[in-house]
Structure formats: C-alpha cells, structure tokens
Amino acid sequence: MIARSGGGSLRDTLTLLDQAINYSAGHLKTASIAQMLGMVDAQILEDFFNALSDKQGARLQTLLGLLEEHEISMVLEEMGLFLKACLLDQRFPTTLLEKFLSTLAQAKQLVALGTDGSFVLTLSALKMQAYIQEHANTLQVPMTQTPASTPNTPQPQTSKPIAPTTKPTPSPDASALFAKLIANLRLSNPKLGETFEHCIRFVSFKDQVLMWESRANQQDKAILGKYYKSLIVPQVQALYGKDVSIKPMKADVLQKHNNCQEFMANHQPLMKAMTQHLNITGIEELEGC
C-alpha cells in the first residue's frame, strides 16, 4: 500500500513509510496503514468477498457500509487490485474473475456518469453474488439413483457396456467470445482493456473474419497500436483461431457498409441485374460504386 501510494517515487515512499512508523507507534499493521492513507483495509475486502461467496446477507450489508465510508472510485480500484491477487492465487475460477472485473468496469462507468456511490456498490455486490450462484449451478451434476436389487432375484444377463458417445460441444457465441476478449485484455493490461472496451465494438464474425467498429481517437490509437501485435492479436487468435483475420472499420465506414447490405437485401432483383450486366457480385464491389 505504501509503495502504491508513493506513485513510483522512492523519496515519497520513504516519507510515507516514516509517517506510517510514527502513526503506528513502531508496529506496522495493514489496518493502521490503510487508515493513515485513507485506503480500504485489505481485510475488509477479504471479508466482503467471503460474505459474497457464503451468502451472508447481514454481514454483507455491514461490510458495504464500511466500504461506503471511502471514496467510491478508490474502492473500485482496490477491488480490482484484490481480484488481481486472487487471480495469481487461483482463489476464484478465471471465468468468475472475468465477470467480476467486467462488473467493476461497468461500475466505474456509472460513477463517471455521477451515479450515487452507495447504489453502485450495492448493485455491483448483487451482480457478483448472482455470478457466484450462476457458477455454482453449472457445477451441479444431477445424480441418477440405481434401484437396489432384490435378494434371491436373478439378475438379467447384460451385454458388454457400450461406450457413451460424446456430443460435440457447441462453439461459444462470437459476441460472447468478444466479451471474453475484453476481459482477458483487462487481466493482461488494465489500461489497454479499458481503452479497448471503450473504443472497440463487435460487429460480426463470419468465414474466419472478425469485424469490429473502432471509435478510437489519436490517444486511444496510440495505446491500441502499442499492444496490437503483442497482446491484442494473440488474444484474438486464442479465442477465434489461428486463421482469424481482423477487419477494423471506422464508424462512418461501417455505416456505409451497413447501408450497402440493407440496399442489397431490399433490392435483390436489381442486384441480380447488376451481377449479370456489371459483374458486381458482392458488397465490396457495391461499396466501391
């Protein structure tokens, strides 16, 4: 906590350490340091997520009250750091952590819009609790009871068991994979993940071509370009396959693309004539007209 508050400055960090020693009367403890710095005690976050997991409603309300005493943006930031540590410790499943981090990202957006901090914290807690229950439900496997055999009853002859055929697992929805892509980028680089989620919108995935809409400004482009080959492309390939092609489109270009698609769908006889007489066979050629 002291190192983070020092902001990368050795002098400031040593000053804070000296203040913490004096504040704690020579006995440095996490709670006292957090109180001195105005930060959230790590034990409160520990108890908060334990209460979520154990469905302790009354305890959760008490902890929410303690968290509301701090500045909401700092609470969300501390929760993000706590979940990052949980990722390294493998305390929660990765899929659950992705949803938790997505919830925090949505909460930050609500705070930026001026939403009441208490409401944001309560809403986030309810979302996380619902995700925990949803995850628990997916792990429950129904048990089939085998009827007990009656004594002295001859057992029927059974043939050799036939190995069960495994049904192919359906591939995840392309838009759901895109949400997972954002979550993975947030885990790898929070700043990049936040920029990507803010600027990039999923459009379609067809014939191994991933199309997205970009609303990035020059500053955003610098961040996205810096990590495009090292983080973004590998994460896309991990989710959509090694042969995937990425087709980014600006908002105005995408609008033109959508207009052409709508035109082709609403004027099929005309498109047939254009195919016969002008050799226009696809939307790319139509967009060039």
Side-chain angles (χ1 to χ4, degrees):
M1 288 190 291
I2 292 176
R4 288 207 312 270
S5 299
S9 170
L10 178 60
R11 182 178 61 182
D12 292 346
T13 302
L14 291 175
T15 300
L16 288 173
L17 178 60
D18 185 55
Q19 292 175 357
I21 293 173
N22 293 330
Y23 184 86
S24 306
H27 300 284
L28 291 177
K29 294 183 179 180
T30 304
S32 61
I33 295 174
Q35 185 177 10
M36 183 196 80
L37 297 174
M39 301 174 69
V40 181
D41 185 357
Q43 186 60 49
I44 295 179
L45 294 177
E46 180 83 23
D47 294 342
F48 173 79
F49 283 98
N50 284 338
L52 281 178
S53 301
D54 299 337
K55 301 180 182 178
Q56 301 174 359
R59 178 62 174 157
L60 188 60
Q61 289 294 333
T62 302
L63 292 167
L64 282 173
L66 294 175
L67 291 174
E68 289 169 7
E69 296 176 0
H70 300 272
E71 202 270 322
I72 178 63
S73 297
M74 188 204 47
V75 172
L76 296 175
E77 193 68 30
E78 291 292 316
M79 281 187 176
L81 294 171
F82 180 85
L83 291 176
K84 182 179 179 181
C86 290
L87 173 65
L88 299 175
D89 297 338
Q90 298 183 343
R91 174 174 171 179
F92 293 111
T94 304
T95 53
L96 199 56
L97 278 174
E98 290 172 0
K99 292 180 179 180
F100 283 177
L101 291 171
S102 177
T103 299
L104 293 182
Q106 294 169 7
K108 290 179 181 179
Q109 292 177 354
L110 289 175
V111 172
L113 294 173
T115 310
D116 178 67
S118 176
F119 172 78
V120 172
L121 277 177
T122 303
L123 178 63
S124 300
L126 291 175
K127 282 184 176 182
M128 291 180 183
Q129 201 167 45
Y131 288 142
I132 291 174
Q133 182 60 46
E134 177 185 319
H135 181 76
N137 291 339
T138 60
L139 297 180
Q140 292 177 356
V141 180
M143 301 294 292
T144 56
Q145 295 182 350
T146 304
S149 59
T150 306
N152 302 325
T153 301
Q155 297 298 323
Q157 295 292 330
T158 57
S159 59
K160 293 182 179 180
I162 302 174
T165 56
T166 57
K167 296 182 179 179
T169 304
S171 58
D173 180 72
S175 58
L177 287 178
F178 201 79
K180 189 173 183 179
L181 169 63
I182 294 175
N184 289 348
L185 291 176
R186 279 187 169 274
L187 289 174
S188 302
N189 186 312
K191 179 63 176 177
L192 170 63
E194 182 178 351
T195 303
F196 190 91
E197 183 176 21
H198 177 72
C199 302
I200 307 298
R201 184 180 68 86
F202 173 81
V203 176
S204 65
F205 178 66
K206 184 178 180 182
D207 299 330
Q208 287 301 109
V209 177
L210 175 62
M211 183 183 298
W212 66 48
E213 174 189 359
S214 174
R215 297 178 178 272
N217 56 31
Q218 291 300 322
Q219 183 178 357
D220 296 329
K221 287 179 180 178
I223 297 175
L224 295 173
K226 180 179 179 180
Y227 298 103
Y228 183 77
K229 292 184 178 180
S230 60
L231 284 179
I232 296 177
V233 172
Q235 290 285 3
V236 170
Q237 290 177 340
L239 293 171
Y240 290 94
K242 292 291 184 181
D243 298 329
V244 65
S245 297
I246 301 174
K247 186 177 181 182
M249 302 184 73
K250 293 183 179 179
D252 54 344
V253 177
L254 179 63
Q255 183 61 46
K256 180 181 177 182
H257 178 84
N258 292 337
N259 292 340
C260 289
Q261 283 188 318
E262 183 179 358
F263 180 88
M264 292 174 65
N266 295 335
H267 300 84
Q268 293 185 9
L270 175 60
M271 289 305 304
K272 184 178 180 180
M274 293 174 71
T275 301
Q276 293 175 347
H277 301 292
L278 298 177
N279 292 325
I280 293 179
T281 58
I283 188 169
E284 291 81 5
E285 294 174 83
L286 181 61
E287 289 175 344
C289 293

